[in-house]
Amino acid sequence: MQKVLGGKDFDIFIGGSMVHVMEATCKITDGRTVKKVRGIPKGFIDGDVEGEVTLKLDHENWLLVQAQAEQAGSWKGIEPFDVAFNAEVAAGKKNVEAFGCLPQLDEILNIKADGGEEDTTSIKCPITSPDFVKINGVPYLTADEVRDL
């Protein structure tokens, strides 16, 4: 029986700093649509793409991002950074890289008045780079799409 890949197996890097997340997502919205003739599918039309990384951090790891804000002089002054999710177990590996992630504070406080849970902060990061996303080293976008960008 092999160990399967789980959330505890991922090392996550924001820029060059390793962080521990409580939750993380990397989502892609692919705007390709189906072309229809008289209501019948006949090929497809390329559309725009969007991507976003969302990180839910405990206070200790949020302070690592806060240090970047302090260095930049403000939260909005933080330059886009790359985020890498790397994991490997006997059953295989999964490495997701998102490029040019623009940090935007989403949920800056999440507490329960009766206690029992720690404060968390969520940061959403729209992807701004034409390098976009790579999955196990394979780019999501075609070379033709990103030519001359």
Side-chain angles (χ1 to χ4, degrees):
M1 182 72 71
Q2 288 184 332
K3 179 181 184 221
V4 297
L5 198 59
K8 290 173 71 172
D9 300 312
F10 281 88
D11 290 331
I12 299 166
F13 295 87
I14 296 177
S17 301
M18 184 176 185
V19 296
H20 298 285
V21 300
M22 299 182 79
E23 294 179 25
T25 60
C26 181
K27 296 181 181 181
I28 293 173
T29 302
D30 186 329
R32 291 180 288 180
T33 58
V34 175
K35 177 186 186 275
K36 294 183 180 181
V37 176
R38 293 190 319 256
I40 307 299
K42 187 177 179 187
F44 68 94
I45 302 165
D46 238 347
D48 61 348
V49 293
E50 293 180 5
E52 183 174 274
V53 169
T54 303
L55 306 167
K56 185 175 182 179
L57 304 169
D58 64 11
H59 186 72
E60 179 182 353
N61 287 279
W62 175 75
L63 289 175
L64 297 173
V65 181
Q66 179 179 309
Q68 293 181 20
E70 289 170 351
Q71 185 175 358
S74 69
W75 283 96
K76 287 184 74 174
I78 300 174
E79 291 292 321
F81 47 70
D82 300 338
V83 178
F85 304 89
N86 302 313
E88 189 167 353
V89 294
K93 70 177 184 174
K94 189 170 192 178
N95 298 315
V96 176
E97 299 168 282
F99 299 94
C101 297
L102 180 65
Q104 300 174 339
L105 295 181
D106 186 35
E107 189 174 78
I108 60 172
L109 184 68
N110 184 345
I111 59 173
K112 305 285 188 262
D114 57 355
E117 294 181 27
E118 62 184 312
D119 171 46
T120 61
T121 302
S122 293
I123 302 171
K124 65 179 181 177
C125 304
I127 297 170
T128 66
S129 171
D131 293 330
F132 200 55
V133 173
K134 289 184 181 177
I135 305 154
N136 289 338
V138 179
Y140 186 79
L141 301 175
T142 67
D144 190 50
E145 288 176 295
V146 296
R147 73 183 181 285
D148 302 324
L149 294 180

